[in-house]
Amino acid sequence: MTRSGRPARHSTANTVDGYLGWLARTLRYDAHDEHLATATAFAHALAEQPGTPSFGPAMISRLEGGTARWRVEHLIVYARVLGLPWSRLLAPSYKVSKLFGSRRGIASLLRIHYTDEEEQTAADLVDALYGDDPINTDSWDLLSGYLLVTRRKLGMRTWRLLCERLLLEICATQGADQDIRAEALVRIMAVDRVAEIANEFAIGIASQAGNPMSFMPLKIFQRLPRKAPSDWIVRSLLDPPDRWLLRELFTSVDVLTRGELWEPSTKERAALRTASVDAALDAHTEMEVKRSSLRLLDILDPAAARRVLHRVGDGELVYRAKPSDVTDAQRIRYREFAEQFATTLQEIGPKHRSKWVHGEDRVLVEVVTETLFGSGAAQSGYTALLTNSGYRDALSQAVTDHLADTTTYQDVTVARAMVRLAGKVVSGPAAGRTLLRIIGSSRLDVDTRVQTAWALANAAPRLPRKFMDGILDIRQDRSFGSQAVTVLRAIIAASARAGNTTNLRSVLDDDTAPSPARQECAWWLSLPPGVLAAMQGSTPTSTGSRRVLFGR
């Protein structure tokens, strides 16, 4: 690989095993114990793990260099030795393997043997569904893998409880914890008759009043288009039960159409074309909805998509609509920005970065470029790699610094890319102040400020609790116009994820508050104990401890 980070012709870096090796190495180089950053010492630590096949420094080098195949057992033992949740390695590994790998590669990340003790654990987890007992992320991974591999039969009532609980937890959790639960649902939907049950509950969740993540079932459908209820999806797009679903409805129809799993009739094509044009040109529509509607329009009527894009005129939308194989001055400029940002990250992380051969991480630039400026499902894979890597603390600092720099906002595409990444990684008082300042800035465009409000909602568990105390004052800002309710819902989600029930009850008891906002407060406050426990498990603070939710 060249010094700029571009893959060399025969490099293994841009393979699934190469990406997983990079992820594992960054985490090892960021270990709390410096001696683990040395392959020999790490091999000794691995050998001390009970029931784990030992492998020496040479195998560690091959795995991390991408020349040996990663298996799920490797990932789990890495997590154990480094003192990390399994999900820190498993969630990005599953995602990258599905996006970039083969069936054989995906199979290597699925356990095929379970001990008697693990079988008993799986049985206990099924019992936990009936008592609404907590089920943590690692347990969902074990249970879903066990049910898929063994094809163990459960009663219909049990499958229904399992699907309903899992869908609710997918909506309530974030990050790697949410990704593992989504993977768990995808797995069990492969079991006979379970897909039908899951689809029934998924449609119910998508129609649930007040659920701020009601679009998550549609993301599951996008991963399993052959099992998706295509007729319901298309009907819902043409007559939305809730505009909250529009972005993922457009994306879901796009996935069905591009995959040739559903062919619209002439009448349906015309109706979908009209819906796409109307959404893209509606001044009150959120930018993310416009983006997904334009992507669908591009496959329905490419000429119309170009005309509409010209009329919309948003800089980021124009950039995102470019074919991926086009290299122009704008793409070169963003690549250079990504290279500079990657250099900043390498200067401050991981902790033991001096261990890199030749002092340089040769994969980071590609991962950063695709995270910030990529598109589609592949972008989510790179984002999962970056945000779960050993650079996470460095990312928090670097993103916060960039958002505090006024020059960032000279390019709307760069600004929004940084804002979206902020929601996944930033923490601490400085980050909280910066996000609030962006939301309240009348000099920035409304769409960037709205996206920042959602970044705040995602980052809320990692911010000091005091930031939630006066956050409802944001709803007095009239400059958000037609997107004021969206911003209020983001503030409610931030309050809920930070455990501030005072804010939730304040809005719920306010008869003048918009109905969608009050419904969302009611939804958060009605979550059962098991789901609340899942939320608590998915909100690490910057120090790695767990915050107690709904504790005030």
Side-chain angles (χ1 to χ4, degrees):
M1 188 170 290
T2 65
R3 185 162 183 82
S4 65
R6 295 177 177 84
R9 181 171 297 177
H10 300 295
S11 172
T12 59
N14 55 347
T15 64
V16 169
D17 289 317
Y19 289 132
L20 301 192
W22 174 84
L23 172 69
R25 179 170 285 170
T26 66
L27 290 169
R28 186 164 65 83
Y29 286 177
D30 197 51
H32 290 297
D33 296 328
E34 185 175 0
H35 76 283
L36 294 178
T38 302
T40 302
F42 192 69
H44 285 308
L46 291 174
E48 293 174 357
Q49 292 294 309
T52 301
S54 61
F55 46 94
M59 185 60 174
I60 291 172
S61 178
R62 290 180 60 211
L63 283 168
E64 294 181 355
T67 58
R69 170 151 289 170
W70 281 88
R71 303 195 66 83
V72 68
E73 292 84 2
H74 298 142
L75 296 166
I76 290 174
V77 74
Y78 257 68
R80 282 176 177 162
V81 171
L82 293 172
L84 299 171
W86 295 2
S87 57
R88 184 79 180 267
L89 283 115
L90 292 181
S93 298
Y94 293 153
K95 186 168 284 190
V96 168
S97 184
K98 291 284 176 66
L99 289 170
F100 307 133
S102 62
R103 285 185 177 273
R104 182 183 170 199
I106 293 169
S108 71
L109 295 182
L110 185 65
R111 297 175 62 185
I112 57 175
H113 299 295
Y114 291 86
T115 65
D116 291 343
E117 182 181 355
E118 288 169 334
E119 287 197 16
Q120 183 58 53
T121 298
D124 292 341
L125 291 171
V126 171
D127 290 341
L129 294 169
Y130 285 87
D132 196 27
D133 296 330
I135 300 178
N136 65 28
T137 301
D138 294 344
S139 295
W140 276 118
D141 184 65
L142 185 150
L143 177 60
S144 61
Y146 174 78
L147 292 173
L148 176 62
V149 169
T150 63
R151 300 286 167 163
R152 183 58 54 89
K153 295 186 182 299
L154 301 177
M156 296 300 288
R157 182 187 173 205
T158 303
W159 282 123
R160 292 174 69 85
L161 279 172
L162 192 154
C163 290
E164 182 179 25
R165 171 74 170 271
L166 197 44
L167 278 159
L168 265 181
E169 290 195 13
I170 288 170
C171 291
T173 53
Q174 298 185 84
D177 298 286
Q178 185 183 66
D179 289 343
I180 290 290
R181 285 168 172 80
E183 175 67 19
L185 184 60
V186 167
R187 287 175 178 175
I188 67 171
M189 286 178 72
V191 178
D192 292 342
R193 297 194 301 170
V194 177
E196 183 179 343
I197 297 171
N199 282 351
E200 175 190 341
F201 279 106
I203 291 172
I205 291 288
S207 306
Q208 203 171 51
N211 184 343
M213 302 294 285
S214 57
F215 52 80
M216 284 305 299
L218 289 161
K219 286 181 170 287
I220 302 295
F221 294 153
Q222 291 160 25
R223 292 182 58 181
L224 294 170
R226 294 185 185 280
K227 295 180 181 289
S230 55
D231 290 343
W232 176 83
I233 291 171
V234 175
R235 285 199 311 271
S236 296
L237 177 55
L238 296 177
D239 185 16
D242 188 342
R243 287 183 60 84
W244 204 250
L245 303 176
L246 274 179
R247 181 187 69 184
E248 297 306 331
L249 284 170
F250 276 117
T251 302
S252 297
V253 175
D254 178 49
V255 169
L256 291 171
T257 306
R258 289 180 191 272
E260 299 182 348
L261 299 173
W262 175 78
E263 180 64 32
S265 65
T266 302
K267 182 178 179 180
E268 287 171 327
R269 182 178 291 273
L272 289 170
R273 181 186 180 281
T274 299
S276 300
V277 171
D278 289 348
L281 294 178
D282 186 347
H284 303 310
T285 299
E286 291 181 54
M287 191 58 61
E288 291 297 301
V289 177
K290 291 182 179 182
R291 186 168 150 187
S292 58
S293 68
L294 280 167
R295 183 170 171 80
L296 175 59
L297 184 59
D298 183 59
I299 193 172
L300 296 172
D301 188 341
R306 289 191 294 272
R307 291 194 300 271
V308 170
L309 183 63
H310 179 72
R311 289 177 62 185
V312 173
D314 180 82
E316 185 187 15
L317 286 181
V318 171
Y319 170 74
R320 301 287 182 186
K322 290 180 180 180
S324 59
D325 58 349
V326 171
T327 300
D328 57 11
Q330 189 179 32
R331 273 226 164 84
I332 292 172
R333 187 169 71 251
Y334 290 156
R335 172 75 183 197
E336 291 173 348
F337 176 89
E339 289 176 347
Q340 293 168 1
F341 188 70
T343 298
T344 299
L345 292 179
Q346 291 180 74
E347 290 172 350
I348 57 179
K351 295 183 184 72
H352 316 300
R353 51 193 172 276
S354 62
K355 298 292 184 180
W356 287 112
V357 177
H358 307 305
E360 181 187 22
D361 176 349
R362 300 177 177 227
V363 178
L364 183 61
V365 171
E366 177 195 0
V367 176
V368 168
T369 302
E370 295 300 324
T371 295
L372 294 176
F373 305 116
S375 61
Q379 184 182 27
S380 72
Y382 286 108
T383 302
L385 279 173
L386 184 61
T387 56
N388 285 287
S389 74
Y391 285 100
R392 188 151 75 181
D393 289 343
L395 269 173
S396 176
Q397 179 181 332
V399 171
T400 300
D401 291 345
H402 268 278
L403 290 177
D405 184 348
T406 56
T407 61
T408 298
Y409 305 95
Q410 294 173 0
D411 187 312
V412 69
T413 303
V414 171
R416 292 175 188 166
M418 281 290 162
V419 162
R420 285 189 283 267
L421 187 53
K424 300 178 184 299
V425 297
V426 299
S427 61
R433 288 191 295 270
T434 298
L435 293 176
L436 289 174
R437 191 159 52 245
I438 297 169
I439 295 169
S441 175
S442 58
R443 292 183 295 177
L444 296 176
D445 67 282
V446 170
D447 289 298
T448 299
R449 294 166 62 204
V450 170
Q451 290 190 31
T452 306
W454 282 108
L456 179 72
N458 293 330
R462 303 185 299 273
L463 303 178
R465 294 182 72 106
K466 65 180 181 181
F467 279 91
M468 298 301 118
D469 292 343
I471 197 173
L472 288 180
D473 293 343
I474 293 174
R475 61 178 170 168
Q476 307 302 325
D477 190 332
R478 303 300 179 190
S479 63
F480 292 109
S482 60
Q483 298 198 58
V485 175
T486 299
V487 172
L488 177 55
R489 292 195 66 174
I491 293 168
I492 291 167
S495 299
R497 287 171 177 159
N500 188 316
T501 56
T502 301
N503 286 353
L504 300 182
R505 297 189 188 284
S506 174
V507 176
L508 182 62
D509 295 339
D510 183 356
D511 293 338
T512 65
S515 177
R518 297 178 70 195
Q519 288 174 333
E520 181 173 339
C521 291
W523 185 85
W524 285 111
L525 291 168
S526 68
L527 290 177
V531 178
L532 288 176
M535 281 178 63
Q536 182 172 342
S538 73
T539 54
T541 65
S542 58
T543 60
S545 60
R546 300 291 179 178
R547 171 173 291 173
V548 177
L549 295 177
F550 291 1
R552 53 182 297 189

